[in-house]
Amino acid sequence: MKKFLIWTQYYVPEIGATAIRLHSVARELVRQGYHVCVVTGMPNYPKGQIYPAYRGKFYCCEQIDGVRVHRCWFHPAREVGLGRIFSYLYFIVSTFPVFILLARKVDLIIAEVPPPTVSFGARIALPFSGAKLIVNVSDLWPDWLLSSGLLKPGMVSRLLKLINSFTFSKADFVNGVTQGIINDIKQNYGIPEDKLLFLPNGVDTTLFSYQGPSIRKGGIDEGQKLFVYAGNHGIYNWPIVIAQAAARLQRRRNDIKFLLVGDGSQKREVVAFCLEHNLTNIEFKAPVPIEEVASLYGKAYAAISTYKKGFLSRPAKIFPAMACGLPLVYSGEGEGANIVKNAACGIVVPPEDPDELARAVERLADDYEMAKNLGNNGFNLVQREYSWSSIVKSWLADLEAKLISK
Protein backbone atom coordinates (compact mmCIF):
# COMPACT_ATOMS: atom_id res chain seq x y z
CA MET A 1 0.00 0.00 0.00
CA LYS A 2 1.55 3.28 -1.11
CA LYS A 3 1.72 6.20 1.31
CA PHE A 4 1.04 9.78 0.23
CA LEU A 5 2.17 13.01 1.91
CA ILE A 6 0.44 16.24 0.83
CA TRP A 7 2.17 19.55 1.62
CA THR A 8 -0.17 22.47 1.18
CA GLN A 9 -0.82 25.91 2.61
CA TYR A 10 -4.61 25.35 2.33
CA TYR A 11 -6.71 22.53 3.77
CA VAL A 12 -10.10 21.98 5.36
CA PRO A 13 -11.80 23.29 7.46
CA GLU A 14 -10.83 26.16 5.14
CA ILE A 15 -13.46 26.46 2.43
CA GLY A 16 -11.52 27.65 -0.60
CA ALA A 17 -11.31 25.62 -3.81
CA THR A 18 -7.79 24.34 -3.10
CA ALA A 19 -8.60 23.16 0.41
CA ILE A 20 -11.79 21.40 -0.65
CA ARG A 21 -10.18 19.81 -3.71
CA LEU A 22 -7.18 18.44 -1.80
CA HIS A 23 -9.40 17.14 0.98
CA SER A 24 -11.63 15.41 -1.57
CA VAL A 25 -8.62 13.80 -3.26
CA ALA A 26 -7.08 12.73 0.07
CA ARG A 27 -10.36 11.27 1.30
CA GLU A 28 -10.86 9.37 -1.97
CA LEU A 29 -7.31 7.99 -1.81
CA VAL A 30 -8.08 6.67 1.67
CA ARG A 31 -11.32 5.12 0.40
CA GLN A 32 -9.33 3.35 -2.31
CA GLY A 33 -6.95 1.85 0.23
CA TYR A 34 -4.04 4.30 0.43
CA HIS A 35 -2.47 5.92 3.50
CA VAL A 36 -2.52 9.74 3.38
CA CYS A 37 -1.17 12.44 5.68
CA VAL A 38 -1.12 16.20 5.25
CA VAL A 39 1.25 18.93 6.43
CA THR A 40 -0.37 22.35 6.48
CA GLY A 41 -0.84 25.49 8.55
CA MET A 42 -3.46 26.63 10.99
CA PRO A 43 -6.66 27.33 9.02
CA ASN A 44 -7.09 31.03 8.21
CA TYR A 45 -8.38 31.34 4.63
CA PRO A 46 -9.98 33.48 3.24
CA LYS A 47 -9.90 36.19 5.93
CA GLY A 48 -6.26 35.73 6.85
CA GLN A 49 -7.27 35.18 10.49
CA ILE A 50 -6.60 31.89 12.28
CA TYR A 51 -9.86 30.13 13.13
CA PRO A 52 -10.81 30.41 16.84
CA ALA A 53 -10.45 26.69 17.58
CA TYR A 54 -6.80 26.77 16.47
CA ARG A 55 -5.61 30.00 18.04
CA GLY A 56 -2.74 29.79 20.52
CA LYS A 57 -1.43 26.51 19.06
CA PHE A 58 2.00 26.13 17.53
CA TYR A 59 1.39 22.54 16.43
CA CYS A 60 -1.50 20.14 16.43
CA CYS A 61 -2.44 16.87 14.77
CA GLU A 62 -5.96 15.74 13.93
CA GLN A 63 -7.77 13.04 11.98
CA ILE A 64 -10.17 14.18 9.23
CA ASP A 65 -11.98 11.50 7.23
CA GLY A 66 -9.18 8.99 7.73
CA VAL A 67 -6.45 11.52 6.84
CA ARG A 68 -3.90 12.50 9.50
CA VAL A 69 -3.45 16.28 9.32
CA HIS A 70 -0.38 17.93 10.89
CA ARG A 71 -0.72 21.68 11.43
CA CYS A 72 1.92 24.27 12.29
CA TRP A 73 1.45 27.92 13.18
CA PHE A 74 2.54 30.49 10.64
CA HIS A 75 1.82 34.15 9.97
CA PRO A 76 -1.23 34.38 7.67
CA ALA A 77 -1.90 37.32 5.38
CA ARG A 78 -5.00 38.50 3.58
CA GLU A 79 -3.85 41.31 1.32
CA VAL A 80 -1.55 40.95 -1.67
CA GLY A 81 1.95 42.41 -1.64
CA LEU A 82 4.93 42.00 0.65
CA GLY A 83 2.76 40.69 3.50
CA ARG A 84 1.56 37.81 1.32
CA ILE A 85 5.13 36.98 0.21
CA PHE A 86 6.28 37.00 3.85
CA SER A 87 3.42 34.63 4.73
CA TYR A 88 4.42 32.19 1.98
CA LEU A 89 8.02 32.12 3.21
CA TYR A 90 6.98 31.83 6.85
CA PHE A 91 4.80 28.83 6.01
CA ILE A 92 7.75 26.95 4.52
CA VAL A 93 10.01 27.68 7.50
CA SER A 94 7.30 26.77 10.01
CA THR A 95 6.19 23.48 8.45
CA PHE A 96 9.52 22.27 7.05
CA PRO A 97 10.68 20.30 10.16
CA VAL A 98 7.42 18.31 10.32
CA PHE A 99 7.47 17.81 6.56
CA ILE A 100 11.04 16.42 6.64
CA LEU A 101 10.17 13.95 9.42
CA LEU A 102 7.14 12.63 7.55
CA ALA A 103 8.73 12.68 4.07
CA ARG A 104 11.05 9.84 5.11
CA LYS A 105 8.09 7.55 5.77
CA VAL A 106 6.11 7.92 2.52
CA ASP A 107 6.35 6.82 -1.10
CA LEU A 108 4.84 9.86 -2.86
CA ILE A 109 4.85 13.57 -2.00
CA ILE A 110 2.27 15.94 -3.47
CA ALA A 111 3.41 19.58 -3.23
CA GLU A 112 0.57 22.03 -3.89
CA VAL A 113 1.26 25.04 -6.11
CA PRO A 114 0.61 27.94 -5.68
CA PRO A 115 2.47 29.21 -3.86
CA PRO A 116 5.58 27.98 -5.72
CA THR A 117 7.58 28.16 -2.51
CA VAL A 118 6.00 24.84 -1.46
CA SER A 119 7.24 22.91 -4.50
CA PHE A 120 10.66 24.56 -4.16
CA GLY A 121 10.90 23.49 -0.51
CA ALA A 122 9.76 19.96 -1.37
CA ARG A 123 12.40 19.65 -4.08
CA ILE A 124 15.15 20.84 -1.72
CA ALA A 125 14.06 18.24 0.85
CA LEU A 126 13.75 15.37 -1.61
CA PRO A 127 17.30 13.94 -1.18
CA PHE A 128 16.50 13.37 2.50
CA SER A 129 13.34 11.43 1.69
CA GLY A 130 13.64 8.98 -1.18
CA ALA A 131 9.98 9.55 -2.10
CA LYS A 132 8.73 10.50 -5.55
CA LEU A 133 7.71 14.15 -5.93
CA ILE A 134 4.49 15.25 -7.66
CA VAL A 135 4.16 19.01 -8.11
CA ASN A 136 0.43 19.69 -8.20
CA VAL A 137 -0.28 22.91 -10.15
CA SER A 138 -3.74 24.41 -9.60
CA ASP A 139 -2.77 27.88 -10.92
CA LEU A 140 0.32 28.51 -13.01
CA TRP A 141 2.20 31.49 -11.56
CA PRO A 142 3.48 33.80 -12.95
CA ASP A 143 2.03 32.87 -16.35
CA TRP A 144 -1.61 33.54 -15.47
CA LEU A 145 -0.77 36.60 -13.36
CA LEU A 146 1.06 38.10 -16.33
CA SER A 147 -1.69 37.31 -18.85
CA SER A 148 -4.37 38.81 -16.59
CA GLY A 149 -2.40 41.99 -15.90
CA LEU A 150 -2.15 41.35 -12.14
CA LEU A 151 1.64 41.13 -12.41
CA LYS A 152 3.96 43.16 -14.61
CA PRO A 153 7.03 41.60 -16.27
CA GLY A 154 10.07 42.13 -14.12
CA MET A 155 12.26 40.60 -11.44
CA VAL A 156 9.40 38.87 -9.57
CA SER A 157 8.00 37.20 -12.68
CA ARG A 158 11.47 36.07 -13.75
CA LEU A 159 12.14 34.62 -10.28
CA LEU A 160 8.84 32.71 -10.30
CA LYS A 161 9.62 31.29 -13.73
CA LEU A 162 13.06 30.19 -12.53
CA ILE A 163 11.49 28.43 -9.53
CA ASN A 164 9.00 26.70 -11.82
CA SER A 165 11.73 25.63 -14.25
CA PHE A 166 13.77 24.19 -11.39
CA THR A 167 10.98 22.35 -9.60
CA PHE A 168 9.17 21.11 -12.72
CA SER A 169 12.35 19.74 -14.28
CA LYS A 170 13.56 18.09 -11.07
CA ALA A 171 10.19 16.67 -9.94
CA ASP A 172 9.26 13.11 -10.84
CA PHE A 173 5.84 14.25 -12.06
CA VAL A 174 4.00 17.52 -12.66
CA ASN A 175 0.25 17.38 -12.23
CA GLY A 176 -2.17 19.93 -13.71
CA VAL A 177 -5.78 20.46 -12.68
CA THR A 178 -6.79 21.78 -16.11
CA GLN A 179 -5.84 20.88 -19.64
CA GLY A 180 -4.80 24.49 -20.18
CA ILE A 181 -2.26 24.24 -17.36
CA ILE A 182 -0.93 20.98 -18.81
CA ASN A 183 -0.50 22.61 -22.23
CA ASP A 184 1.27 25.66 -20.77
CA ILE A 185 3.65 23.50 -18.74
CA LYS A 186 4.58 21.57 -21.88
CA GLN A 187 4.97 24.64 -24.06
CA ASN A 188 6.51 27.12 -21.62
CA TYR A 189 8.69 24.80 -19.52
CA GLY A 190 9.45 21.92 -21.89
CA ILE A 191 8.17 19.17 -19.58
CA PRO A 192 7.74 15.90 -21.52
CA GLU A 193 4.45 14.01 -21.69
CA ASP A 194 5.70 11.06 -19.63
CA LYS A 195 6.16 13.38 -16.60
CA LEU A 196 2.70 14.95 -16.82
CA LEU A 197 -0.41 13.90 -14.90
CA PHE A 198 -3.95 15.26 -15.09
CA LEU A 199 -6.12 15.45 -11.97
CA PRO A 200 -9.02 17.81 -12.73
CA ASN A 201 -11.52 19.34 -10.33
CA GLY A 202 -14.47 17.17 -9.40
CA VAL A 203 -17.35 17.05 -6.95
CA ASP A 204 -18.60 14.93 -4.09
CA THR A 205 -21.79 13.54 -5.65
CA THR A 206 -22.89 12.08 -2.31
CA LEU A 207 -23.02 15.58 -0.79
CA PHE A 208 -24.27 17.55 -3.78
CA SER A 209 -27.34 15.87 -5.23
CA TYR A 210 -30.03 16.77 -7.72
CA GLN A 211 -32.29 19.69 -6.76
CA GLY A 212 -33.12 21.50 -10.00
CA PRO A 213 -34.13 25.17 -10.40
CA SER A 214 -36.19 26.23 -7.39
CA ILE A 215 -38.70 29.03 -6.92
CA ARG A 216 -39.48 29.07 -3.24
CA LYS A 217 -39.02 30.83 0.05
CA GLY A 218 -35.77 30.52 1.97
CA GLY A 219 -34.63 33.86 3.29
CA ILE A 220 -36.00 35.17 -0.03
CA ASP A 221 -39.57 36.33 -0.72
CA GLU A 222 -42.03 33.84 -2.19
CA GLY A 223 -41.78 33.66 -5.96
CA GLN A 224 -38.26 35.10 -6.12
CA LYS A 225 -35.71 33.47 -8.39
CA LEU A 226 -32.47 33.22 -6.46
CA PHE A 227 -29.11 33.26 -8.27
CA VAL A 228 -26.31 32.02 -5.99
CA TYR A 229 -22.60 32.76 -6.18
CA ALA A 230 -20.68 30.59 -3.69
CA GLY A 231 -16.91 30.89 -3.48
CA ASN A 232 -13.95 33.17 -3.09
CA HIS A 233 -14.47 36.92 -3.62
CA GLY A 234 -10.92 37.47 -4.85
CA ILE A 235 -9.58 39.70 -7.59
CA TYR A 236 -9.49 36.94 -10.21
CA ASN A 237 -13.09 35.91 -9.38
CA TRP A 238 -14.29 39.44 -10.21
CA PRO A 239 -17.60 39.29 -8.23
CA ILE A 240 -18.06 43.07 -8.65
CA VAL A 241 -19.62 42.29 -12.03
CA ILE A 242 -22.54 40.58 -10.24
CA ALA A 243 -23.25 43.74 -8.25
CA GLN A 244 -23.04 45.81 -11.44
CA ALA A 245 -25.52 43.47 -13.15
CA ALA A 246 -27.79 43.60 -10.09
CA ALA A 247 -27.84 47.40 -10.34
CA ARG A 248 -29.07 47.19 -13.91
CA LEU A 249 -31.73 44.59 -13.08
CA GLN A 250 -33.06 46.42 -10.03
CA ARG A 251 -34.38 49.16 -12.30
CA ARG A 252 -36.67 46.76 -14.19
CA ARG A 253 -37.14 43.51 -12.23
CA ASN A 254 -38.45 42.68 -8.78
CA ASP A 255 -38.45 38.87 -9.10
CA ILE A 256 -34.69 38.29 -9.32
CA LYS A 257 -32.36 38.22 -6.33
CA PHE A 258 -28.69 37.42 -5.85
CA LEU A 259 -26.95 35.74 -2.93
CA LEU A 260 -23.16 35.98 -2.66
CA VAL A 261 -21.62 33.49 -0.23
CA GLY A 262 -17.98 33.71 0.83
CA ASP A 263 -15.21 36.22 1.43
CA GLY A 264 -12.08 37.55 -0.17
CA SER A 265 -10.06 40.60 -1.11
CA GLN A 266 -12.75 42.13 -3.36
CA LYS A 267 -15.72 41.63 -1.04
CA ARG A 268 -15.42 45.05 0.62
CA GLU A 269 -15.49 46.71 -2.79
CA VAL A 270 -18.59 44.74 -3.80
CA VAL A 271 -20.43 45.56 -0.56
CA ALA A 272 -19.48 49.24 -0.88
CA PHE A 273 -20.84 49.31 -4.44
CA CYS A 274 -24.16 47.82 -3.28
CA LEU A 275 -24.48 50.36 -0.47
CA GLU A 276 -23.61 53.25 -2.78
CA HIS A 277 -26.30 52.21 -5.27
CA ASN A 278 -28.89 51.21 -2.62
CA LEU A 279 -29.22 47.70 -4.03
CA THR A 280 -31.96 45.64 -2.41
CA ASN A 281 -31.80 42.67 -4.79
CA ILE A 282 -28.46 41.34 -3.55
CA GLU A 283 -27.58 39.73 -0.22
CA PHE A 284 -24.32 38.57 1.31
CA LYS A 285 -23.48 35.62 3.50
CA ALA A 286 -20.22 34.88 5.28
CA PRO A 287 -18.25 31.76 4.34
CA VAL A 288 -20.07 28.58 5.32
CA PRO A 289 -19.09 24.89 5.47
CA ILE A 290 -19.44 23.04 2.20
CA GLU A 291 -22.41 21.13 3.58
CA GLU A 292 -24.31 24.39 3.95
CA VAL A 293 -23.45 25.35 0.37
CA ALA A 294 -25.28 22.20 -0.73
CA SER A 295 -28.29 23.33 1.30
CA LEU A 296 -28.21 26.81 -0.24
CA TYR A 297 -28.14 25.33 -3.73
CA GLY A 298 -31.34 23.54 -2.82
CA LYS A 299 -33.04 26.94 -2.54
CA ALA A 300 -31.50 28.39 -5.71
CA TYR A 301 -32.91 28.88 -9.18
CA ALA A 302 -29.45 29.02 -10.79
CA ALA A 303 -25.77 29.42 -9.96
CA ILE A 304 -23.36 32.14 -11.10
CA SER A 305 -19.63 31.80 -11.71
CA THR A 306 -17.58 34.88 -12.62
CA TYR A 307 -13.93 35.47 -13.52
CA LYS A 308 -11.59 38.23 -14.57
CA LYS A 309 -10.40 38.53 -18.17
CA GLY A 310 -7.47 36.23 -18.81
CA PHE A 311 -8.60 33.53 -16.34
CA LEU A 312 -8.69 30.46 -18.59
CA SER A 313 -8.81 27.71 -16.00
CA ARG A 314 -11.39 25.09 -15.03
CA PRO A 315 -12.99 26.41 -11.81
CA ALA A 316 -14.04 23.97 -9.10
CA LYS A 317 -17.16 25.90 -8.10
CA ILE A 318 -19.16 25.00 -11.23
CA PHE A 319 -19.30 21.27 -10.49
CA PRO A 320 -21.23 21.32 -7.18
CA ALA A 321 -23.90 23.50 -8.81
CA MET A 322 -24.08 21.13 -11.77
CA ALA A 323 -24.36 18.14 -9.43
CA CYS A 324 -27.42 19.83 -7.91
CA GLY A 325 -29.02 20.19 -11.34
CA LEU A 326 -28.72 23.97 -11.38
CA PRO A 327 -28.23 25.88 -14.63
CA LEU A 328 -25.14 28.09 -14.75
CA VAL A 329 -24.51 31.66 -15.76
CA TYR A 330 -20.80 31.70 -16.52
CA SER A 331 -19.06 35.05 -16.93
CA GLY A 332 -15.62 34.11 -18.20
CA GLU A 333 -13.58 32.43 -20.89
CA GLY A 334 -11.26 29.50 -21.39
CA GLU A 335 -11.68 25.93 -20.17
CA GLY A 336 -14.56 26.56 -17.76
CA ALA A 337 -16.53 28.41 -20.42
CA ASN A 338 -15.93 25.58 -22.89
CA ILE A 339 -17.24 22.97 -20.46
CA VAL A 340 -20.45 24.95 -19.94
CA LYS A 341 -20.90 25.52 -23.68
CA ASN A 342 -20.12 21.98 -24.78
CA ALA A 343 -22.35 20.40 -22.15
CA ALA A 344 -25.17 22.91 -22.78
CA CYS A 345 -25.53 23.31 -19.03
CA GLY A 346 -25.65 27.12 -18.84
CA ILE A 347 -25.25 30.47 -20.53
CA VAL A 348 -21.75 31.84 -21.14
CA VAL A 349 -21.11 35.59 -21.34
CA PRO A 350 -17.87 37.56 -21.74
CA PRO A 351 -15.92 38.34 -18.54
CA GLU A 352 -16.33 41.72 -16.82
CA ASP A 353 -19.46 42.56 -18.86
CA PRO A 354 -22.37 43.45 -16.52
CA ASP A 355 -24.80 44.19 -19.35
CA GLU A 356 -24.39 40.75 -20.89
CA LEU A 357 -24.51 39.13 -17.45
CA ALA A 358 -27.77 40.91 -16.62
CA ARG A 359 -29.30 39.83 -19.95
CA ALA A 360 -28.29 36.21 -19.37
CA VAL A 361 -29.81 36.23 -15.88
CA GLU A 362 -33.07 37.65 -17.27
CA ARG A 363 -33.17 35.15 -20.09
CA LEU A 364 -32.76 32.26 -17.67
CA ALA A 365 -35.28 33.68 -15.20
CA ASP A 366 -37.90 34.06 -17.93
CA ASP A 367 -37.59 30.50 -19.29
CA TYR A 368 -38.05 27.83 -16.64
CA GLU A 369 -38.04 24.98 -19.17
CA MET A 370 -34.69 26.11 -20.54
CA ALA A 371 -33.32 26.46 -17.03
CA LYS A 372 -34.49 22.95 -16.14
CA ASN A 373 -33.00 21.43 -19.32
CA LEU A 374 -29.66 23.17 -18.81
CA GLY A 375 -29.60 21.95 -15.21
CA ASN A 376 -30.34 18.39 -16.27
CA ASN A 377 -27.50 18.48 -18.79
CA GLY A 378 -25.04 19.61 -16.13
CA PHE A 379 -26.23 16.96 -13.69
CA ASN A 380 -25.80 14.19 -16.27
CA LEU A 381 -22.31 15.39 -17.18
CA VAL A 382 -21.15 15.38 -13.56
CA GLN A 383 -22.49 11.89 -12.97
CA ARG A 384 -20.62 10.60 -16.02
CA GLU A 385 -17.28 12.36 -15.71
CA TYR A 386 -16.72 14.47 -12.60
CA SER A 387 -17.36 12.38 -9.48
CA TRP A 388 -14.24 12.21 -7.32
CA SER A 389 -14.29 8.42 -7.22
CA SER A 390 -13.96 8.09 -11.00
CA ILE A 391 -11.46 10.97 -11.33
CA VAL A 392 -9.09 9.65 -8.65
CA LYS A 393 -9.36 6.08 -9.93
CA SER A 394 -8.36 7.20 -13.43
CA TRP A 395 -5.51 9.36 -12.06
CA LEU A 396 -4.13 6.48 -9.99
CA ALA A 397 -4.13 4.20 -13.03
CA ASP A 398 -2.14 6.78 -15.01
CA LEU A 399 0.25 7.33 -12.10
CA GLU A 400 0.88 3.59 -11.63
CA ALA A 401 1.52 3.11 -15.34
CA LYS A 402 4.05 5.96 -15.43
CA LEU A 403 5.76 4.76 -12.25
CA ILE A 404 6.25 1.33 -13.83
CA SER A 405 7.66 2.83 -17.03
CA LYS A 406 10.24 4.94 -15.18
Side-chain angles (χ1 to χ4, degrees):
M1 179 181 69
K2 285 188 170 57
K3 298 180 180 180
F4 285 85
L5 170 60
I6 300 174
W7 196 13
T8 172
Q9 195 157 329
Y10 308 100
Y11 201 73
V12 294
E14 293 173 319
I15 56 175
T18 298
I20 293 171
R21 172 172 43 81
L22 289 176
H23 170 61
S24 299
V25 170
R27 181 179 57 189
E28 191 58 40
L29 286 171
V30 170
R31 286 175 179 170
Q32 297 194 26
Y34 295 85
H35 178 275
V36 184
C37 58
V38 173
V39 175
T40 188
M42 299 297 171
N44 66 89
Y45 184 85
K47 291 187 175 182
Q49 300 171 354
I50 293 177
Y51 291 12
Y54 295 86
R55 290 174 188 166
K57 298 179 179 180
F58 286 93
Y59 168 83
C60 69
C61 182
E62 57 186 335
Q63 195 89 0
I64 303 177
D65 291 335
V67 179
R68 186 167 292 277
V69 182
H70 301 262
R71 299 186 184 276
C72 302
W73 188 90
F74 76 108
H75 189 279
R78 175 172 179 172
E79 303 299 333
V80 297
L82 291 177
R84 181 68 60 89
I85 294 172
F86 175 76
S87 179
Y88 291 158
L89 295 173
Y90 202 118
F91 173 80
I92 297 301
V93 173
S94 173
T95 58
F96 193 80
V98 176
F99 172 76
I100 282 288
L101 288 173
L102 295 174
R104 298 174 180 176
K105 304 175 183 179
V106 300
D107 305 294
L108 292 151
I109 295 168
I110 299 176
E112 175 66 18
V113 174
T117 45
V118 175
S119 61
F120 183 80
R123 180 59 189 88
I124 295 299
L126 210 57
F128 304 99
S129 166
K132 301 289 187 183
L133 174 61
I134 304 171
V135 176
N136 188 57
V137 185
S138 56
D139 277 323
L140 189 56
W141 293 3
D143 305 62
W144 177 77
L145 297 174
L146 289 167
S147 66
S148 64
L150 294 176
L151 179 67
K152 301 298 182 184
M155 184 178 68
V156 173
S157 64
R158 289 195 296 271
L159 177 60
L160 290 173
K161 278 188 172 288
L162 283 173
I163 292 174
N164 284 346
S165 296
F166 172 73
T167 56
F168 293 171
S169 63
K170 300 297 184 182
D172 295 281
F173 301 101
V174 183
N175 186 85
V177 302
T178 73
Q179 195 57 55
I181 288 174
I182 293 288
N183 293 339
D184 286 344
I185 290 171
K186 283 195 290 188
Q187 294 169 11
N188 299 345
Y189 297 94
I191 304 303
E193 189 69 37
D194 62 356
K195 284 185 63 171
L196 293 170
L197 297 167
F198 181 44
L199 181 61
N201 288 313
V203 63
D204 183 350
T205 52
T206 62
L207 175 60
F208 292 93
S209 57
Y210 186 84
Q211 304 286 342
S214 176
I215 307 172
R216 62 167 120 170
K217 193 171 182 177
I220 298 294
D221 294 337
E222 197 73 49
Q224 295 286 334
K225 294 172 181 176
L226 180 63
F227 288 72
V228 174
Y229 173 95
N232 187 33
H233 293 42
I235 186 66
Y236 65 89
N237 305 107
W238 211 251
I240 188 69
V241 73
I242 301 176
Q244 293 165 343
R248 287 153 173 78
L249 289 171
Q250 182 165 269
R251 304 184 192 120
R252 57 183 185 261
R253 302 289 294 247
N254 59 10
D255 62 332
I256 295 172
K257 293 234 174 174
F258 299 89
L259 176 63
L260 276 63
V261 184
D263 205 341
S265 59
Q266 206 185 55
K267 184 169 184 177
R268 276 179 279 183
E269 181 184 347
V270 179
V271 172
F273 179 93
C274 293
L275 292 173
E276 180 184 351
H277 292 81
N278 298 314
L279 299 187
T280 59
N281 60 348
I282 186 167
E283 297 182 7
F284 295 89
K285 191 174 182 66
V288 298
I290 191 170
E291 294 81 7
E292 193 171 336
V293 173
S295 176
L296 290 171
Y297 278 154
K299 301 168 185 175
Y301 182 82
I304 296 184
S305 189
T306 61
Y307 293 94
K308 185 176 173 58
K309 289 177 182 177
F311 184 87
L312 306 176
S313 192
R314 178 190 304 217
K317 67 167 65 71
I318 64 175
F319 299 112
M322 292 162 66
C324 291
L326 293 179
L328 295 169
V329 180
Y330 192 94
S331 172
E333 53 193 349
E335 208 164 318
N338 290 336
I339 289 174
V340 176
K341 286 179 184 176
N342 294 337
C345 61
I347 300 174
V348 176
V349 300
E352 303 180 37
D353 190 331
D355 292 311
E356 286 296 324
L357 180 58
R359 279 191 283 270
V361 167
E362 275 193 297
R363 182 182 166 201
L364 207 56
D366 289 338
D367 194 336
Y368 177 77
E369 284 303 314
M370 180 180 71
K372 186 170 67 172
N373 290 335
L374 294 175
N376 287 339
N377 291 342
F379 173 79
N380 292 331
L381 176 67
V382 163
Q383 298 301 312
R384 290 195 312 268
E385 300 181 23
Y386 291 106
S387 69
W388 277 119
S389 58
S390 61
I391 286 175
V392 172
K393 185 177 181 180
S394 175
W395 180 77
L396 284 169
D398 188 27
L399 173 62
E400 291 290 347
K402 288 181 175 177
L403 282 170
I404 291 171
S405 66
K406 274 189 173 287

